[in-house]
Amino acid sequence: MAPASVLTPRSEDFPRWYQDVVAKAELADNGPVRGTMVIRPYGYAIWERIQAEIDARIKATGARNAYFPLFIPESYLRREAEHVEGFSPELAVVTYGGGKELEEPVVVRPTSETVINAFFAKWVQSHRDLPLLINQWSNVVRWELRPRILLRTTEFLWQEGHTAHATEEEARRYALRILMDVYREVMVDILAVPVLTGRKTERERFAGATTTWTCEAMMGDAKALQMGTSHELGQNFARAFGIQFQTETGGTAYPWQTSWGSSTRLLGGLIMAHGDDAGLRVPPRVAPVQVAVVLVRDEEGAGQAAAQLVRELAAAGLRVELDDRVDTSYGRRATAWDLKGVPVRVDVGPRELAAGQATLARRVPGTKETVPLRAVSEVVPAALEEAQRDLLAQAESFQRERTAEVSSVPEAAEAGQAGFARLPWASLGPEGEAELATAGVTVRCLVGPDGGLPLPGQDAGTVAVVGRAY
Amino acid sequence: MAPASVLTPRSEDFPRWYQDVVAKAELADNGPVRGTMVIRPYGYAIWERIQAEIDARIKATGARNAYFPLFIPESYLRREAEHVEGFSPELAVVTYGGGKELEEPVVVRPTSETVINAFFAKWVQSHRDLPLLINQWSNVVRWELRPRILLRTTEFLWQEGHTAHATEEEARRYALRILMDVYREVMVDILAVPVLTGRKTERERFAGATTTWTCEAMMGDAKALQMGTSHELGQNFARAFGIQFQTETGGTAYPWQTSWGSSTRLLGGLIMAHGDDAGLRVPPRVAPVQVAVVLVRDEEGAGQAAAQLVRELAAAGLRVELDDRVDTSYGRRATAWDLKGVPVRVDVGPRELAAGQATLARRVPGTKETVPLRAVSEVVPAALEEAQRDLLAQAESFQRERTAEVSSVPEAAEAGQAGFARLPWASLGPEGEAELATAGVTVRCLVGPDGGLPLPGQDAGTVAVVGRAY
C-alpha cells in the first residue's frame, strides 16, 4: 500500500485527490494556454487502448472513418440556428492567417457537424447512398471558463459519428446500436465502469436532437459523469443543409440522421470511477502495463530471474515492464506502481528467490501473496482477470449502495446530493426537474420501468435517475 | 482497363491527372476554407494503414506517444528566433475566445516543437530521464497561399517526434534509426516507393537543425517529393528552452535533440508514384480493399458463388469486398475498381461459373486470366505479393531511367528538369546550388560516394542528387 501522504485522501477533498492522481500518476498536465492540456505518455497509452476498442466496434457497425477540416467558415455555424445558440460563447475564432487579417473569420471546430453535413449534401443523392455512416477521430475546441483537466477542457480529443438513413426506424436502431454495442460495451466490458443507459429529458437533450440517448456512470464521489451520448436528429440537419435523396419510388426525401460522440473525458471517468487513496487502478484490458516485475535488489541472481520472468510473461501475451531501478528504494518504486494503478506487481528479491519464490502484489484488492517462481506466468493472467471482474463488481456495488428509491421532489433533491435517486418521471415532470436544478441536481436519464431503455417520446411509466453531475 | 476518357492522361497534364484521381477515386476533397481538405473514407483508410505501420516502428524504437495542445501562446514562438522567422507568415492566429478578445493571441500549432520543448524542460532533470523519446500524431496548420491537396495544405495530419539524449552520438544514431528503420522501411517495404536517403545541404536543411536527413522519392512526372525528414538539432532548442540535466558525474549539461516528421503528404506521394492513366494503384500492404469480388450478373447461382468466394478470401486473412451492385453495368464497376486501384478483382459471372471458373484481373500489370473457382483463394495471395513487388520494381526502374550522371552545373540544370541528376558536390557547391535554384532545380540530398549515407558535416566525396521538387 502507498503511504497515505502521497495523495490527498478522497474523503477529504475529492477534486484535489483527482488533480493529485492526474499529476502524480503522470497522466496529464495543464497546457500553457488556460484550459488546454498535455496528455502524457502514460495517460495517452490508456487513451490509445480505449480508442482502439471503440474504433473496432464502430467499424463493426459498418461506419467508416474520415477526416474533416479543423477550420469552419463562420457562416456555416449560422445554418442550424438552434445549434449555434448553444456554442457561440464557446468558439475560438481565427482572424489572422498568412500574415494578414482574414476577410471572413474562421472558427476552430467545436464539432464537425456543420461541415460534415455540408458534405453529406454532396454525397447523398440516391437511396443507394444510404445508409451513410461516417466517424471522425479529432481534436475539438470549446472555450472553457472553468476547465477541469480531462473532464472539461478547452481542447479535447474525441470521436464524432454522423449518419444518414432512409427511415426514422433505421436511424433509431443505429443510434441505439452505437449506444449499446459500442459505448456501453466498451464502458462495462473494457473500462469496468457500470453505466446506466437511458434517454435524456427534453431539458437535458442536445439542442439539435429529437432524442438523446446516454451512458451515465457514478464516480467515486457519487456524482454522475456523462460518458457518451447517441442522438437521433430527425430531419433537422437534413433540412438545414439541404440533404435530400431520391427514393426507390422516384420521389425526393430528407434522410433521418444520428450523431454520437465520446471523448478523452472517458480517461477522467476511469480515474474517478476506480481510483483509491493509493492512486489510480487501471482495468487490465486497457492497462498499458499489466504487470510490473520489480527487482528488489540485484543480488544472488535476482536480476537474471526478473529478466527471465519478464520474458515469460511477455511470451504469454501480457504487457509487462521490468523495473530494475535498484538505485531507487523498493518502497518508493512500489508506491509509484500503485499510484499508476498497474494491476499486478511481481517483486523479485534475493530472499524469496532462494526459496524459488516471488511476491505477487495485486492492486485490486491490495493484497500480497507468495508464488512459486515457475507458477508466476500461470497465476498472473488469472489475477488480471480477477482484477478486471473485481473493479466492475466494486463499482457496481458502490453505485447500488448510493442509489435511493424516492417518491417526491424534495426527497430526490436531498438523495441526489449523496448519489443517485430514482423516482417515477410522473412524480417529477418538467416542473420538478426545474426545481431540482436549483439544488444542483439534474435528471441524468430516464429508464424504462423494467430497467431497460424507454421508448422514445413515451414518458409514461419511465423512471428518472437524478443526481449531481460533472 | 478503364476507358481513357475517365481521367486526364498523365502525359497531357500531370497536375490535372492528380486532381482527377484524388476526386474520382474518392480520396479527398477541398474543404470550405481555402487550403483545407476533407480526407474521404477511402483515402483515410489508406492513411490509417500507413499510420499503423509508422506507429508500430516508432514504438519499436522505444518512443512513446503523447498529445500536446493545439493552441500555443504567441510568446512561445519567439523563443527560438531562427525558427519563428521560418513560420511567421504561415501562422493562423486566434484572437477571440469565449466570446471576447483574448489578452494574448494564441497561435494554432504549425508544429508542437515549442510547447514540447517547454515540457521537456520540466521532465528532463537527471541523466536517468534520458533518452526522452516522444511522438505525437496530430493536425497542424501552416497557412498555404498555393495549396495542393494532400501535398501542401493549410491543415494536414502528421506525426512529429522529439527526443533528448545525453550525447551527440546517441542523438545521431537515433535520428538515423528513425530515417532508416521507420521512414525508409515503411516507404519501401510497405508503400513500394523507392526512396533516396541522404543529407540536406545547408541551404535546404530545417532552420533549427544542425543536420537534416531526408527520404526523397521520384513521382510519376519525374519530380521529387520529400517524404519524411529526421533532424539532428544539436543543443539549439535545449539552450533556447533551458532543458538541462544532471550528468552521472554531478555536472550540468544540455541534452542533444532530434525531431522528425511524416504526414498525409505520403498519401499524395503514393498516388503520384504508382498511379497510371486508369487511376490509382494501391500497394496491397496498405490497400483497404485488396480484392474486389465482382458479381457480373446474378444468374444461375453466380450470387451464391461470389458470396462464397468472399467468405473464403476473408477466411484467408484478406481484405475483401463484394460488389453485387448488378443494377450498375459491369463495365462501369470494373472501371471504378481500377480507378480506386484495388490490386486484384475477381469477376464471377454465370458463363465462367458454368465452367467452374472465375476471371482474375490484376491491376498491376493490368492483365486478366481465367482461374478455377476452387483455386482462387490460393492464387489471390500470390497475386497480391506479385503486385507489391511489381509496383516497387516499376518505380525503381522509372527512377533509374530518369536519373542522369552529369558533371557540370549547366548539365545538372538541364537534366534536373526531366528527372534526377547526380553530380559530385565538389562540382556544384553552394554557388552552383544557388545557380540551379534559378532554374527551379534544388539539391534533394547528398549521398555518400558508395551510395550510402554521407558523414554529417563532411561534404568531401559526396554526390548531390538534384531535381525539381513538390
Side-chain angles (χ1 to χ4, degrees):
Chain A
M1 291 292 283
S5 63
V6 172
L7 299 172
T8 307
R10 287 188 307 162
S11 57
E12 196 180 301
D13 186 342
F14 194 85
R16 178 70 177 274
W17 166 85
Y18 175 74
Q19 302 277 14
D20 283 358
V21 174
V22 169
K24 293 187 178 170
E26 300 181 348
L27 294 162
D29 207 341
N30 292 311
V33 172
R34 191 163 178 279
T36 66
M37 64 177 165
V38 174
I39 308 178
R40 300 184 64 177
Y42 188 59
Y44 199 82
I46 301 174
W47 174 241
E48 283 183 307
R49 296 197 172 274
I50 297 174
Q51 251 194 317
E53 297 284 353
I54 293 175
D55 191 65
R57 286 170 179 80
I58 287 173
K59 284 177 176 151
T61 71
R64 303 202 295 162
N65 289 341
Y67 188 79
F68 294 82
L70 176 70
F71 292 153
I72 299 175
E74 215 192 10
S75 56
Y76 270 50
L77 295 188
R78 297 201 195 96
R79 292 202 195 169
E80 220 280 311
E82 211 172 357
H83 177 235
V84 74
E85 294 288 351
F87 281 128
S88 210
E90 296 180 345
L91 295 178
V93 186
V94 175
T95 55
Y96 284 84
K100 51 182 191 178
E101 194 158 5
L102 301 177
E103 285 177 25
E104 188 190 355
V106 300
V107 157
V108 181
R109 63 181 163 218
T111 86
S112 292
E113 207 137 60
T114 55
V115 65
I116 290 179
N117 279 308
F119 279 88
F120 271 36
K122 291 172 69 174
W123 297 341
V124 173
Q125 299 295 331
S126 144
H127 62 92
R128 285 193 197 86
D129 301 321
L130 299 177
L132 179 59
L133 314 172
I134 295 289
N135 179 58
Q136 172 178 260
W137 290 97
S138 74
N139 54 348
V140 282
V141 168
R142 299 175 188 179
W143 212 269
E144 278 296 342
L145 299 177
R146 297 177 56 201
R148 206 188 272 247
I149 199 161
L150 290 170
L151 294 173
R152 183 171 276 118
T153 45
T154 288
E155 180 194 8
F156 55 92
L157 304 184
W158 80 340
Q159 64 62 220
E160 57 179 308
H162 298 270
T163 70
H165 307 261
T167 68
E168 183 175 18
E169 291 62 39
E170 206 191 300
R172 169 156 309 145
R173 243 191 339 264
Y174 191 82
L176 289 174
R177 190 170 170 195
I178 293 290
L179 184 80
M180 302 302 278
D181 298 352
V182 179
Y183 294 156
R184 188 180 188 287
E185 197 174 297
V186 170
M187 290 163 198
V188 177
D189 295 356
I190 307 298
L191 303 184
V193 174
V195 289
L196 296 173
T197 47
R199 206 181 76 225
K200 288 286 186 190
T201 60
E202 207 178 316
R203 184 190 175 99
E204 296 288 330
R205 82 173 175 226
F206 168 55
T210 55
T211 303
T212 291
W213 301 98
T214 184
C215 290
E216 301 280 328
M218 185 184 277
M219 301 293 100
D221 58 353
K223 281 171 74 174
L225 185 72
Q226 180 178 301
M227 303 273 279
T229 48
S230 183
H231 312 289
E232 295 177 40
L233 304 175
Q235 296 172 310
N236 294 343
F237 282 90
R239 284 178 203 279
F241 286 87
I243 310 171
Q244 284 187 303
F245 68 99
Q246 198 158 37
T247 63
E248 279 187 83
T249 54
T252 304
Y254 292 109
W256 299 80
Q257 294 188 265
T258 79
S259 73
W260 25 281
S262 63
S263 74
T264 33
R265 164 174 264 217
L266 288 172
L267 270 177
L270 186 74
I271 299 165
M272 292 199 295
H274 296 311
D276 66 12
D277 286 349
L280 187 58
R281 299 192 300 174
V282 189
R285 289 188 189 151
V286 286
V289 182
Q290 296 174 308
V291 201
V293 174
V294 176
L295 177 61
V296 180
R297 289 196 314 281
D298 191 8
E299 291 167 11
E300 295 166 47
Q304 292 92 309
Q308 173 60 22
L309 262 189
V310 166
R311 280 191 296 271
E312 280 176 29
L313 291 165
L318 303 181
R319 297 186 286 276
V320 56
E321 197 169 309
L322 174 65
D323 176 355
D324 57 1
R325 298 166 297 166
V326 288
D327 48 356
T328 303
S329 82
Y330 163 75
R332 273 177 82 102
R333 291 184 288 147
T335 301
W337 288 114
D338 279 351
L339 251 172
K340 291 206 158 187
V342 169
V344 170
R345 211 177 65 226
V346 180
D347 297 338
V348 180
R351 207 174 52 207
E352 297 87 343
L353 189 63
Q357 293 177 326
T359 301
L360 188 137
R362 297 171 189 250
R363 183 67 180 81
V364 185
T367 52
K368 281 187 178 189
E369 65 215 79
T370 301
V371 175
L373 218 50
R374 61 173 191 290
V376 168
S377 57
E378 279 160 43
V379 175
V380 170
L384 291 173
E385 276 177 42
E386 278 171 50
Q388 182 79 32
R389 214 164 43 229
D390 289 354
L391 281 174
L392 180 61
Q394 285 179 21
E396 278 171 344
S397 90
F398 182 79
Q399 187 193 304
R400 214 163 29 236
E401 286 159 18
R402 302 298 183 103
T403 301
E405 298 283 342
V406 300
S407 53
S408 73
V409 177
E411 282 176 334
E414 198 192 327
Q417 300 297 334
F420 289 167
R422 289 165 45 91
L423 80 169
W425 172 248
S427 312
L428 187 62
E431 299 78 17
E433 192 179 11
E435 201 181 318
L436 283 184
T438 64
V441 172
T442 49
V443 178
R444 303 317 308 154
C445 62
L446 300 175
V447 297
D450 57 349
L453 291 170
L455 293 174
Q458 278 207 344
D459 290 344
T462 61
V463 173
V465 182
V466 310
R468 290 193 304 145
Y470 278 92
Chain B
M1 291 292 282
S5 62
V6 172
L7 299 173
T8 307
R10 288 187 307 162
S11 58
E12 197 179 302
D13 186 341
F14 194 84
R16 179 70 176 274
W17 166 85
Y18 175 74
Q19 302 275 12
D20 282 358
V21 173
V22 169
K24 294 188 179 169
E26 301 183 347
L27 294 163
D29 207 340
N30 292 311
V33 173
R34 191 163 178 279
T36 66
M37 64 176 165
V38 173
I39 308 177
R40 299 185 64 176
Y42 189 58
Y44 199 81
I46 301 174
W47 173 241
E48 283 183 307
R49 295 196 174 275
I50 297 175
Q51 251 194 315
E53 296 285 351
I54 293 175
D55 191 65
R57 286 170 180 79
I58 288 173
K59 284 177 176 151
T61 71
R64 303 204 294 163
N65 288 341
Y67 188 78
F68 293 82
L70 175 71
F71 292 152
I72 299 176
E74 215 193 8
S75 56
Y76 270 50
L77 295 189
R78 297 201 197 96
R79 292 201 197 170
E80 221 279 312
E82 211 172 358
H83 178 235
V84 75
E85 294 288 350
F87 282 127
S88 212
E90 297 181 345
L91 296 178
V93 185
V94 175
T95 55
Y96 284 84
K100 52 182 192 178
E101 195 160 2
L102 300 176
E103 286 177 24
E104 188 189 356
V106 300
V107 158
V108 181
R109 61 180 165 218
T111 88
S112 292
E113 207 138 59
T114 56
V115 66
I116 291 179
N117 279 307
F119 278 88
F120 271 37
K122 290 172 69 173
W123 297 340
V124 173
Q125 299 294 331
S126 143
H127 63 92
R128 285 193 197 85
D129 301 322
L130 299 178
L132 179 58
L133 314 172
I134 295 289
N135 179 57
Q136 173 177 257
W137 290 96
S138 74
N139 54 348
V140 283
V141 168
R142 299 174 189 180
W143 213 269
E144 277 296 343
L145 299 178
R146 296 178 57 202
R148 207 188 272 246
I149 199 161
L150 290 170
L151 294 172
R152 183 172 275 120
T153 45
T154 288
E155 180 193 9
F156 55 92
L157 304 184
W158 81 339
Q159 64 63 218
E160 57 180 308
H162 298 270
T163 70
H165 306 261
T167 68
E168 184 175 16
E169 291 63 37
E170 206 191 301
R172 169 156 310 146
R173 239 187 347 260
Y174 191 82
L176 289 174
R177 189 170 171 194
I178 292 292
L179 183 80
M180 301 302 280
D181 298 353
V182 179
Y183 294 155
R184 188 181 187 286
E185 196 173 297
V186 169
M187 289 163 198
V188 177
D189 295 357
I190 307 297
L191 303 184
V193 174
V195 289
L196 297 173
T197 47
R199 208 180 74 221
K200 288 287 186 189
T201 60
E202 207 178 317
R203 184 189 175 100
E204 296 288 330
R205 81 172 176 227
F206 167 55
T210 55
T211 303
T212 291
W213 302 97
T214 184
C215 291
E216 302 280 328
M218 184 184 279
M219 302 292 99
D221 59 354
K223 282 172 72 176
L225 185 73
Q226 180 179 299
M227 303 273 279
T229 48
S230 183
H231 312 288
E232 294 177 40
L233 304 175
Q235 296 172 311
N236 294 344
F237 282 90
R239 284 176 202 280
F241 286 87
I243 311 171
Q244 284 187 303
F245 69 99
Q246 198 157 38
T247 63
E248 279 187 81
T249 54
T252 305
Y254 291 111
W256 298 81
Q257 294 188 265
T258 79
S259 73
W260 26 280
S262 62
S263 74
T264 35
R265 163 175 266 217
L266 288 172
L267 270 177
L270 186 73
I271 300 165
M272 293 198 296
H274 296 312
D276 65 14
D277 286 349
L280 187 58
R281 298 192 300 173
V282 190
R285 289 188 188 151
V286 285
V289 182
Q290 296 174 308
V291 200
V293 174
V294 176
L295 177 61
V296 180
R297 288 195 316 281
D298 192 8
E299 291 166 13
E300 295 166 46
Q304 292 92 308
Q308 173 60 23
L309 263 190
V310 167
R311 280 191 296 273
E312 278 176 30
L313 292 165
L318 303 181
R319 297 186 286 276
V320 55
E321 197 169 308
L322 174 64
D323 175 356
D324 57 1
R325 299 165 298 165
V326 287
D327 48 355
T328 301
S329 81
Y330 162 76
R332 275 176 81 101
R333 291 184 288 147
T335 302
W337 288 114
D338 279 351
L339 251 172
K340 292 206 159 188
V342 169
V344 170
R345 211 177 65 226
V346 181
D347 297 338
V348 180
R351 205 174 54 204
E352 297 88 344
L353 189 64
Q357 293 178 325
T359 301
L360 189 136
R362 297 170 189 250
R363 184 66 180 81
V364 186
T367 53
K368 281 187 178 189
E369 66 215 78
T370 301
V371 175
L373 218 50
R374 60 171 193 291
V376 169
S377 56
E378 279 161 43
V379 175
V380 170
L384 292 173
E385 276 177 41
E386 278 171 49
Q388 182 80 31
R389 212 162 46 226
D390 289 354
L391 282 173
L392 180 62
Q394 285 180 20
E396 278 171 344
S397 90
F398 182 79
Q399 187 193 304
R400 212 162 30 234
E401 286 160 18
R402 303 296 183 105
T403 302
E405 300 283 342
V406 300
S407 52
S408 72
V409 178
E411 282 177 335
E414 198 191 327
Q417 301 297 334
F420 289 168
R422 289 165 45 91
L423 79 168
W425 172 248
S427 312
L428 188 61
E431 298 77 18
E433 193 180 10
E435 201 181 318
L436 284 184
T438 63
V441 172
T442 49
V443 178
R444 303 318 307 152
C445 62
L446 299 175
V447 298
D450 56 349
L453 292 169
L455 293 174
Q458 278 205 345
D459 290 343
T462 61
V463 173
V465 183
V466 310
R468 291 194 303 146
Y470 279 92

